[in-house]
């Protein structure tokens, strides 16, 4: 198989230039590469099955995971690894049938080792075809995910279960090549000793976006972020695999179109008969959904901390007052004037607690969902808010001045909450006649996203600029004498970030505050 490397530019952060000559790999050399790739991958059980599911090949990873020696298992049906209930239910045969019909079958479940103990296996069965597209057998890859599954269930049962799979390679170049080429969920790459790419499968094209003729002969550094290349992370991983036989890593990687994905990578060193490293196998899995789920867990934990703060601090104060004045009321039941005073204080504290609970609930329910989004005319949003504050503005001779605002793709109720909180604060924290200016600063393309920059300026009491970050924290108040829950601006920040935007504040005591908001148009 010939590979035609593209020309690569040179430079500190560019790809090393591939050799200009055409690399010709003999069938024997490629067979050794693939043979080593299978034999030295001990974390995966890689099996070759005939059309009936009988085992034709057995690698050290299979012996390690399932407990059978090669001479004990060859020729036996792969259903031996399944529980009796799964066999009675016909699961092994259904998986074979599905792979034959659809090209592949994936499954996770409990499997049985030679000693009768169980392990949680993640498997992929891929149908293998001859040149006439007739099925000639199956590859079966098994990964023991028992430890990871147990850990995920203990931490968060709803976290995305990891499905780590690998591919079973054939003993011949043709069969190994077909198996690797037809697996689409994993990027399986063969590297030479310098990290130059020697082969490319469908999974690599699906995950990374390069066609085979665009990437063969180039360095695998192309998939790493510029900052990782500057830190020489690719070279470090190869050196780690060279010294310790393999290297594992998870992090952000680059596709051809410049977008990022969270990749889980295993690099295994391949050796010749003398023990010298002759290349590397590199298996990459796109775990972006797993990463997003983990980030969501961290976000939820932070929210729980905020709610705990509310329960232990802000909600305790009105509750303490209710208990105190209830006790005083009991002691002064015969004094009508005192009783009415204590009842009014109890009512005030109860109302305060109600406002706090409602505000916390609004904050907890402020999530982002594409299903809730629609085209929102911000002019209509401001008009509706003007109606809501009409009496209060007339009472204080206040007014709202605004530009013609754009239509954006957003969650309507959250846009109403955002500008309601900003306008409410402007009125609340103004000792004179409130004036609110809402202006469109500009519309820019930032990181390929069209963003609108809106500035909301008031003439309120303002604050010291050193507190600009604190005002967006939950329950943080700069003006304790003013009535408020301490959640309004935290809610604004969360709404803007839900829409992948940004909000900042510029202020000076006695001279008002300007809120700068960046929101995507689309």
């Amino acid at each position: 198989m010939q590979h035609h490397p593209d020309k690569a530019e040179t430079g500190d952060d560019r790809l090393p230039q591939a050799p200009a000559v055409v690399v010709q790999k003999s069938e024997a050399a490629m067979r050794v590469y693939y043979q080593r790739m299978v034999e030295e991958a001990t974390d995966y059980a890689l099996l070759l099955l005939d059309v009936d599911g009988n085992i034709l090949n057995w690698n050290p990873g299979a012996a390690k995971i399932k407990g059978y020696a090669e001479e004990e298992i060859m020729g036996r049906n792969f259903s031996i690894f399944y529980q009796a209930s799964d066999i009675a239910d016909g699961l092994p045969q259904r998986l074979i049938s599905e792979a034959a019909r659809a090209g592949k079958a994936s499954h996770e479940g409990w499997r049985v080792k030679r000693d009768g103990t169980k392990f949680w296996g993640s498997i992929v069965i891929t149908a293998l075809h001859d040149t006439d597209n007739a099925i000639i057998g199956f590859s079966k890859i098994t990964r023991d995910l028992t430890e990871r599954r147990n850990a995920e269930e203990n931490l968060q049962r709803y976290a995305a279960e990891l499905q780590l799979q690998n591919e079973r390679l054939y003993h011949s170049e043709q069969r190994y090549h077909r198996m690797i080429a037809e697996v689409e969920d994993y990027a399986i790459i063969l590297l030479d000793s310098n990290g130059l790419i020697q082969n490319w499968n469908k999974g690599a094209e699906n995950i990374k976006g390069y066609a085979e003729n665009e990437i063969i002969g180039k360095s695998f550094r192309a998939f790493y972020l510029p900052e990782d290349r500057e830190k020489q992370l690719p070279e470090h991983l190869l050196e780690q695999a060279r010294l310790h036989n393999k290297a594992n890593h998870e992090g952000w990687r680059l596709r051809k179109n410049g977008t990022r994905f969270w990749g889980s990578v295993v690099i295994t060193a391949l050796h010749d008969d003398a023990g010298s490293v002759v290349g590397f196998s590199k298996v990459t899995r796109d775990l972006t959904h797993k990463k997003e789920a983990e980030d969501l867990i961290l976000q939820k934990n932070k929210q729980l901390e905020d709610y705990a703060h509310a329960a232990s601090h802000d909600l305790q104060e009105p509750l303490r007052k209710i208990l105190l004045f209830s006790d005083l009321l009991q002691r002064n039941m015969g004094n009508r004037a005192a009783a009415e005073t204590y009842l009014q204080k109890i009512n005030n504290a109860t109302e305060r607690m109600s406002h706090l609970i409602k505000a916390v609930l609004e904050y907890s329910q402020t999530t982002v969902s594409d299903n809730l989004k629609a085209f929102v005319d911000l002019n209509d949003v401001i008009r509706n808010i003007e109606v809501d504050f009409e009496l209060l503005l007339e009472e204080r001779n206040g007014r709202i001045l605004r530009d013609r605002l754009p239509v954006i793709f957003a969650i309507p109720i959250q846009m109403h909450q955002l500008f309601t909180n900003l306008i409410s604060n402007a009125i609340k924290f103004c000792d004179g006649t409130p004036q609110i200016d809402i202006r469109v600063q500009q519309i820019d393309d930032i990181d390929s996203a069209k963003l609108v920059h809106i500035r909301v300026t008031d003439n309120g009491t303002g604050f010291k600029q050193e507190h600009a970050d604190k005002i967006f924290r939950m329950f943080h108040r700069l003006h304790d004498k003013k009535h408020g829950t301490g959640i309004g601006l935290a809610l604004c920040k969360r709404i803007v970030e839900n829409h992948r935007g940004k909000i900042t504040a510029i202020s000076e005591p006695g001279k008002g505050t300007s809120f700068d908001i960046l929101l995507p148009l689309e």
Side-chain angles (χ1 to χ4, degrees):
M1 177 176 63
Q2 289 186 336
H3 305 300
H4 301 284
D6 292 341
K7 293 182 179 179
E9 296 179 342
T10 59
D12 291 341
D13 60 350
R14 298 177 181 177
L15 302 179
Q17 189 168 2
V21 298
V22 176
V23 181
Q24 180 66 41
K25 292 292 185 180
S26 67
E27 292 187 4
M30 291 303 294
R31 186 177 299 112
V32 169
Y33 272 131
Y34 287 121
Q35 180 69 20
R36 295 297 184 188
M37 190 172 180
V38 173
E39 290 181 352
E40 300 191 28
T42 58
D43 291 338
Y44 295 83
L46 308 176
L47 283 68
L48 181 64
L49 309 177
D50 65 15
V51 293
D52 297 318
N54 297 318
I55 300 168
L56 300 179
N57 200 299
W58 193 249
N59 82 318
K64 176 183 175 182
I65 292 174
K66 301 174 185 291
Y68 291 90
E70 184 175 6
E71 60 271 15
E72 295 178 301
I73 202 66
M74 295 297 291
R76 301 180 74 173
N77 194 273
F78 81 108
S79 61
I80 193 174
F81 310 128
Y82 289 75
Q83 300 182 94
S85 57
D86 289 334
I87 295 174
D89 192 43
L91 176 60
Q93 187 56 46
R94 285 205 308 276
L95 292 175
I96 284 286
S97 299
E98 182 181 345
R101 181 183 68 257
K104 68 177 180 179
S106 302
H107 189 262
E108 286 195 8
W110 292 111
R111 300 293 184 266
V112 181
K113 298 183 179 181
R114 183 180 184 276
D115 60 5
T117 59
K118 294 190 296 183
F119 70 97
W120 186 264
S122 174
I123 66 103
V124 173
I125 299 174
T126 303
L128 307 175
H129 306 81
D130 59 18
T131 55
D132 296 325
N133 207 35
I135 294 177
I136 57 175
F138 302 90
S139 66
K140 180 174 180 290
I141 305 114
T142 301
R143 173 68 165 166
D144 185 352
L145 297 182
T146 306
E147 291 185 4
R148 177 169 289 185
R149 180 178 186 272
N150 291 338
E152 287 180 349
E153 286 185 346
N154 291 336
L155 293 174
Q156 287 291 345
R157 292 188 177 275
Y158 62 83
E161 293 185 2
L162 304 180
Q163 298 179 353
L164 300 179
Q165 309 168 8
N166 202 347
E167 286 66 36
R168 173 69 173 89
L169 306 179
Y170 289 127
H171 290 295
S172 68
E173 175 188 357
Q174 183 181 12
R175 287 188 174 182
Y176 284 133
H177 181 73
R178 286 186 180 278
M179 183 184 74
I180 292 175
E182 294 188 25
V183 173
E184 299 181 3
D185 293 338
Y186 284 82
I188 304 175
I189 304 172
L190 185 65
L191 307 176
D192 69 10
S193 58
N194 296 315
L196 301 181
I197 298 166
Q198 302 297 298
N199 81 318
W200 196 248
N201 76 324
K202 289 181 181 178
E205 184 172 348
N206 290 343
I207 293 174
K208 302 174 186 291
Y210 292 91
E212 184 174 8
N213 60 355
E214 296 176 307
I215 201 67
I216 292 296
K218 292 186 177 181
S219 173
F220 80 113
R221 297 176 80 247
F223 314 130
Y224 288 78
L225 303 179
E227 53 266 35
D228 288 334
R229 295 200 295 267
E230 184 176 347
K231 293 184 296 185
Q232 295 190 321
L233 175 61
E235 290 78 7
H236 172 73
L237 292 176
L238 285 189
E239 185 61 23
Q240 184 179 352
R242 194 187 306 274
L243 295 176
H244 305 290
N245 194 46
K246 70 176 180 180
N248 299 276
H249 189 263
E250 287 195 9
W252 292 110
R253 299 292 186 267
L254 282 177
R255 297 186 178 94
K256 178 189 174 184
N257 62 7
T259 59
R260 300 183 180 191
F261 69 96
W262 187 264
S264 175
V265 178
V266 177
I267 299 177
T268 303
L270 308 176
H271 303 80
D272 59 18
D273 292 335
S276 300
V277 174
V278 294
F280 303 90
S281 66
K282 180 174 179 289
V283 181
T284 301
R285 175 68 166 166
D286 183 353
L287 295 182
T288 306
H289 291 303
K290 165 189 170 287
K291 173 66 175 173
E292 291 172 346
E294 290 176 347
D295 289 346
L296 180 60
I297 291 172
L298 293 176
Q299 179 185 346
K300 294 297 183 183
N301 287 340
K302 180 61 172 64
Q303 292 174 20
L304 289 176
E305 292 178 6
D306 291 339
Y307 303 153
H309 179 83
S312 64
H313 183 268
D314 288 75
L315 294 178
Q316 288 289 347
E317 182 60 23
L319 182 60
R320 186 187 66 79
K321 290 180 179 178
I322 291 172
L323 293 174
L324 173 63
F325 291 120
S326 295
D327 182 60
L328 291 173
L329 178 62
Q330 279 186 321
R331 297 179 186 181
N332 294 273
M333 292 296 291
N335 187 334
R336 181 178 179 84
E340 289 180 351
T341 299
Y342 296 143
L343 278 174
Q344 184 60 46
K345 291 183 178 295
I346 290 172
N347 288 337
N348 292 341
T350 303
E351 184 178 0
R352 167 67 177 160
M353 177 173 280
S354 176
H355 287 322
L356 277 171
I357 292 173
K358 181 180 178 182
V360 172
L361 181 61
E362 287 179 349
Y363 184 86
S364 68
Q365 292 177 339
T366 307
T367 57
V368 61
S369 172
D370 289 337
N371 294 332
L372 301 177
K373 289 183 177 180
F375 288 103
V376 180
D377 188 336
L378 295 181
N379 300 285
D380 292 339
V381 171
I382 302 302
R383 275 193 291 269
N384 291 332
I385 295 173
E386 287 175 329
V387 172
D388 293 339
F389 288 103
E390 182 178 5
L391 295 178
L392 186 56
L393 288 169
E394 287 182 358
E395 179 182 312
R396 301 184 59 183
N397 294 319
R399 59 177 180 166
I400 299 174
L401 305 175
R402 60 182 171 88
D403 287 338
R404 176 68 184 174
L405 301 175
V407 175
I408 68 173
F409 194 66
I411 301 176
I413 184 62
Q414 291 189 11
M415 289 299 102
H416 185 87
Q417 289 175 309
L418 170 63
F419 287 98
T420 293
N421 276 289
L422 293 176
I423 292 173
S424 174
N425 274 4
I427 298 173
K428 183 190 309 177
F429 296 109
C430 179
D431 295 328
T433 300
Q435 179 169 308
I436 302 102
D437 287 305
I438 304 174
R439 304 297 178 188
V440 176
Q441 298 298 106
Q442 59 197 34
I443 296 178
D444 291 330
D445 286 322
I446 302 176
D447 295 333
S448 300
K450 191 174 288 294
L451 302 177
V452 60
H453 178 187
I454 298 174
R455 174 169 290 177
V456 179
T457 302
D458 63 49
N459 61 339
T461 54
F463 55 85
K464 294 181 179 179
Q465 188 60 30
E466 62 194 64
H467 299 305
D469 291 334
K470 297 179 182 178
I471 64 169
F472 294 109
R473 296 178 188 173
M474 202 171 179
F475 302 112
H476 188 87
R477 302 183 190 90
L478 297 179
H479 307 284
D480 291 333
K481 295 182 179 180
K482 297 287 185 177
H483 178 71
T485 63
I487 297 178
L489 290 179
L491 183 62
C492 290
K493 184 173 188 291
R494 188 169 179 193
I495 289 172
V496 172
E497 290 179 348
N498 279 349
H499 289 78
R500 295 181 176 85
K502 185 178 181 181
I503 182 171
T504 55
I506 300 173
S507 188
E508 186 177 342
K511 295 186 178 180
T513 304
S514 291
F515 291 93
D516 288 295
I517 306 165
L518 287 174
L519 287 172
L521 285 174
E522 300 175 355

